[in-house]
Amino acid sequence: MNSEQRTKRSFLMASKWLIVPIAAVYLGLSYLSVQRGNSLLIGIVLVLLSIIPFLLRFERKERKARELMLIAVMAAVATVSRIPFATLLPNFTPVTFVVIVSGVVFGAEAGWMVGAATALVSNFFLGQGPWTPWQMFAWGMAGYTAGLFAHRSLWRRERLPLALFGLAWGFLFGWIMNITLALDQWVQTHSWEAVVGKYVTGLPFEVVHATANVFFILAFSPSWIALLERYRRKYGTLERTELTEGEQGNGQTSAAI
Amino acid sequence: MKEGFGFRSLHPVVILTYYAGGITFGMLLFHPLVLMAGWAAAVIVNFHLDGGREWRRWSLPMLTGVVLILLMNPLLSHRGRTVLYYLGDIPITLESVVYGITLAISMLNLLTFFVTYRLVMTEQKFLFLFTRVSPKAALIAMMAMGLVPRLRKRMQELMLIQKTRGVTVAEGSMMTRARSGARLVGTLLSWTLEDALQTADSMQARGYGTGTRSSYLGYRFRKRDGLTLIGFVCIAIILIMTWGYGHGFLSIYPRLGSLALSSGDTAALIAYLVFLFLPLVLEWRDRRAWLITNYRR
């Protein structure tokens, strides 16, 4: 690598830090904007900033090609899984189910990545918009919390606790997507009644989404978890550190084979 | 040919600045007339880029969303001095109606503006930008994106084959349809996981992760990029200054202000329009150059 290339590279690396002053300016602008009774900007600025710590955490670790591939496959499958359901009810999709199951099996960080990548990639096909960062955040958090939720004990990977978890995320997802408009109601009227009213109108969609999650988790989570668990071992990646000795040894030998 | 032409030929950084700026101003400005002008500008940009095809495809979902906002706001928000009408005992205020209209136009403006994003900021440009910031996440996004068309084809294949076994999403009760749909997705998953392993091993064998990754820099920062970027920054500064002095938005609550544009509002409006139209200058320039060279030949 000659010196010219090196300076170019370090320049590109330094350009990453441009994000700090830009974020500061945006926070200032959105604060002023809220003071003037307009909350459109602050939501999107905050949700974009919330993505940064997850990305930093993900980038910091050394990642094997197999790991990245596994996450990419999950995101692609979640994107494509919308196709057979396009003719059924709107909002009745297994995307959240796929994201939650990946979080459960592959851990919180990978779960976040699957969720965020799914939102980003599927919108390249369905249309990017101001909703993309919100979907990245909502699905990313669904995957992340699924990882945290299932991390403690194997009991939580059973159908019933996961179904309750999916039910909760069916509603949470819609509520996160509605934050922009609800925040706007709050800044406009300062009355909780209007905010709740906004959320009530969105309720039918959330119910469909939650039903879909519960249905898929009840019917398919054991088989999907078993399948993904098998591939996690086969790929020899994204090991949970908390597993018992025997299981961990098992994973390593199968990876060695 | 289209990629090397006019607006689309700009460097990804400049394009990102345009869309970031356009969205920011679309959200900062809150005056129905200014936003309406912005919307008209966004439509014109749409027509320049692809004759408005993509915009027409999106217009129905956009309109439904906008009409919903328009109707919902007066019903939810009862703030404001001027009561127009009582719906039962719910007061409908003029302020709330105007706010709803402004918000609806603002949304319409943002969505229309974003339609061109899909045309100009191609996946390749987006990933070019993103690999600088977050290489691994960008690689994942890129791989997933590459997988999607292949998986789609596989899904069609699976749906066709499974139909002969009676597993279909087109018939039966809601429950059986959902169940067979999920079975299709499950089959697709195991099929894909199997051969994605080979792809990953192939990457590993070609030295993924052994050193700093080199990248394909497909975009040069040319003079036109520099000039356009300087233009964007100058207009942005002017616009934020005028906005900072309190222009470009309508005071609605508690009492509706005058709808007429003050001189400051006009300045903000003009700056906003210039910002939105700036990349079209290149579009015109290149179109002219194309015509002239063809004429001589």
Side-chain angles (χ1 to χ4, degrees):
Chain A
M1 201 194 285
N2 59 33
S3 66
E4 195 191 330
Q5 271 179 319
R6 192 164 298 157
T7 45
K8 194 168 184 188
R9 189 170 290 273
S10 61
F11 170 73
L12 286 174
M13 279 304 164
S15 67
K16 203 191 283 189
W17 293 102
L18 260 179
I19 223 160
V20 178
I22 291 174
V25 167
Y26 266 91
L27 280 175
L29 277 181
S30 42
Y31 176 72
L32 279 177
S33 192
V34 168
Q35 280 198 325
R36 291 173 182 180
N38 178 357
S39 68
L40 288 177
L41 195 58
I42 187 133
I44 205 149
V45 167
L46 288 181
V47 84
L48 280 174
L49 286 178
S50 80
I51 289 172
I52 292 173
F54 290 104
L55 274 186
L56 281 180
R57 228 181 116 97
F58 192 83
E59 292 293 333
R60 219 182 41 200
K61 271 193 209 151
E62 192 71 36
R63 303 274 177 188
K64 278 187 279 186
R66 283 179 163 196
E67 248 171 281
L68 301 185
M69 199 67 210
L70 200 52
I71 294 172
V73 167
M74 292 314 295
V77 167
T79 304
V80 174
S81 71
R82 288 175 145 184
I83 297 175
F85 294 96
T87 50
L88 289 174
L89 275 173
N91 233 15
F92 194 91
T93 63
V95 178
T96 318
F97 163 71
V98 177
V99 170
I100 287 176
V101 170
S102 348
V104 167
V105 178
F106 302 133
E109 270 172 49
W112 183 84
M113 202 63 223
V114 170
T118 304
L120 185 69
V121 170
S122 64
N123 282 340
F124 269 117
F125 296 95
L126 300 173
Q128 302 281 5
W131 52 83
T132 306
W134 290 99
Q135 286 183 342
M136 284 175 75
F137 175 76
W139 271 325
M141 285 316 285
Y144 192 78
T145 50
L148 293 184
F149 177 76
H151 185 63
R152 287 286 163 75
S153 66
L154 286 173
W155 168 79
R156 295 197 188 166
R157 296 171 161 216
E158 300 290 321
R159 270 171 219 232
L160 218 55
L162 272 187
L164 288 176
F165 185 80
L167 182 79
W169 263 107
F171 287 95
L172 279 175
F173 184 87
W175 290 344
I176 290 173
M177 297 307 292
N178 280 347
I179 285 179
T180 312
L181 289 176
L183 204 64
D184 178 74
Q185 278 301 329
W186 171 251
V187 170
Q188 211 188 130
T189 57
H190 288 278
S191 91
W192 286 109
E193 215 174 296
V195 175
V196 171
K198 197 96 217 168
Y199 273 116
V200 167
T201 50
L203 219 49
F205 294 99
E206 271 90 278
V207 169
V208 173
H209 191 181
T211 321
N213 289 351
V214 171
F215 167 75
F216 288 118
I217 286 173
L218 284 182
F220 293 99
S221 72
S223 63
W224 276 62
I225 287 176
L227 177 74
L228 290 181
E229 201 66 47
R230 189 177 101 74
Y231 275 99
R232 186 174 59 72
R233 283 193 193 162
K234 188 168 181 179
Y235 277 55
T237 52
L238 299 165
E239 291 289 349
R240 280 151 50 95
T241 44
E242 244 77 339
L243 284 182
T244 53
E245 285 297 309
E247 271 187 276
Q248 213 163 22
N250 228 340
Q252 275 163 4
T253 43
S254 65
I257 293 163
Chain B
M1 165 238 156
K2 274 188 169 168
E3 270 303 294
F5 187 87
F7 185 9
R8 281 175 247 238
S9 71
L10 285 173
H11 193 270
V13 169
V14 184
I15 295 174
L16 182 73
T17 317
Y18 177 68
Y19 283 99
I23 286 199
T24 312
F25 302 136
M27 288 180 172
L28 285 179
L29 301 170
F30 203 73
H31 192 296
L33 296 178
V34 174
L35 291 173
M36 199 63 134
W39 171 76
V43 171
I44 290 171
V45 173
N46 258 302
F47 269 88
H48 268 88
L49 287 174
D50 74 332
R53 266 188 295 280
E54 198 73 7
W55 174 67
R56 270 197 291 273
R57 207 164 70 78
W58 278 92
S59 49
L60 194 66
M62 283 195 295
L63 263 184
T64 34
V66 161
V67 168
L68 271 180
I69 292 176
L70 207 67
L71 294 180
M72 287 282 300
N73 201 63
L75 294 179
L76 287 174
S77 160
H78 312 305
R79 223 179 132 197
R81 292 275 163 79
T82 332
V83 177
L84 289 178
Y85 183 68
Y86 278 95
L87 200 74
D89 54 353
I90 304 171
I92 305 287
T93 66
L94 175 68
E95 281 78 7
S96 179
V97 170
V98 171
Y99 190 97
I101 291 171
T102 315
L103 187 66
I105 297 173
S106 167
M107 288 287 159
L108 189 66
N109 175 28
L110 285 176
L111 295 181
T112 312
F113 179 69
F114 231 86
V115 171
T116 58
Y117 176 91
R118 271 192 91 189
L119 298 170
V120 178
M121 188 71 109
T122 53
E123 292 86 348
Q124 208 182 349
K125 285 182 196 148
F126 179 82
L127 291 170
F128 170 84
L129 285 171
F130 210 48
T131 19
R132 302 283 163 283
V133 188
S134 177
K136 282 168 198 147
L139 186 62
I140 287 178
M142 208 173 336
M143 288 195 295
M145 205 107 74
L147 278 171
V148 168
R150 205 190 312 164
L151 295 199
R152 245 185 204 175
K153 219 186 278 167
R154 282 184 182 175
M155 184 54 108
Q156 303 294 354
E157 227 172 287
L158 275 176
M159 283 163 89
L160 205 65
I161 294 166
Q162 296 286 331
K163 209 169 154 188
T164 60
R165 299 181 52 214
V167 179
T168 169
V169 285
E171 286 163 27
S173 71
M174 199 68 187
M175 218 53 175
T176 46
R177 282 159 78 170
R179 193 176 282 273
S180 46
R183 266 174 73 183
L184 288 172
V185 177
T187 318
L188 180 73
L189 177 69
S190 47
W191 182 3
T192 311
L193 280 174
E194 196 58 54
D195 70 15
L197 194 62
Q198 286 179 3
T199 314
D201 285 344
S202 161
M203 279 169 67
Q204 199 79 34
R206 281 157 214 223
Y208 172 77
T210 47
T212 44
R213 191 137 44 98
S214 61
S215 63
Y216 170 69
L217 293 174
Y219 301 97
R220 267 186 320 125
F221 198 85
R222 295 182 292 173
K223 207 173 99 186
R224 55 162 61 183
D225 299 312
L227 289 177
T228 320
L229 192 61
I230 291 171
F232 283 151
V233 172
C234 291
I235 302 164
I237 290 171
I238 294 171
L239 198 48
I240 288 177
M241 292 263 276
T242 45
W243 181 83
Y245 284 117
H247 303 299
F249 55 91
L250 182 66
S251 63
I252 293 177
Y253 292 120
R255 187 185 285 275
L256 188 64
S258 164
L259 265 175
L261 293 170
S262 69
S263 57
D265 291 339
T266 318
L269 172 73
I270 290 168
Y272 186 40
L273 288 184
V274 170
F275 187 93
L276 291 177
F277 280 139
L278 195 59
L280 286 191
V281 173
L282 284 173
E283 200 80 12
W284 295 325
R285 188 212 156 270
D286 283 359
R287 208 162 282 189
R288 243 179 84 87
W290 172 256
L291 285 176
I292 288 170
T293 48
N294 271 1
Y295 179 69
R296 287 220 180 119
R297 207 179 289 156

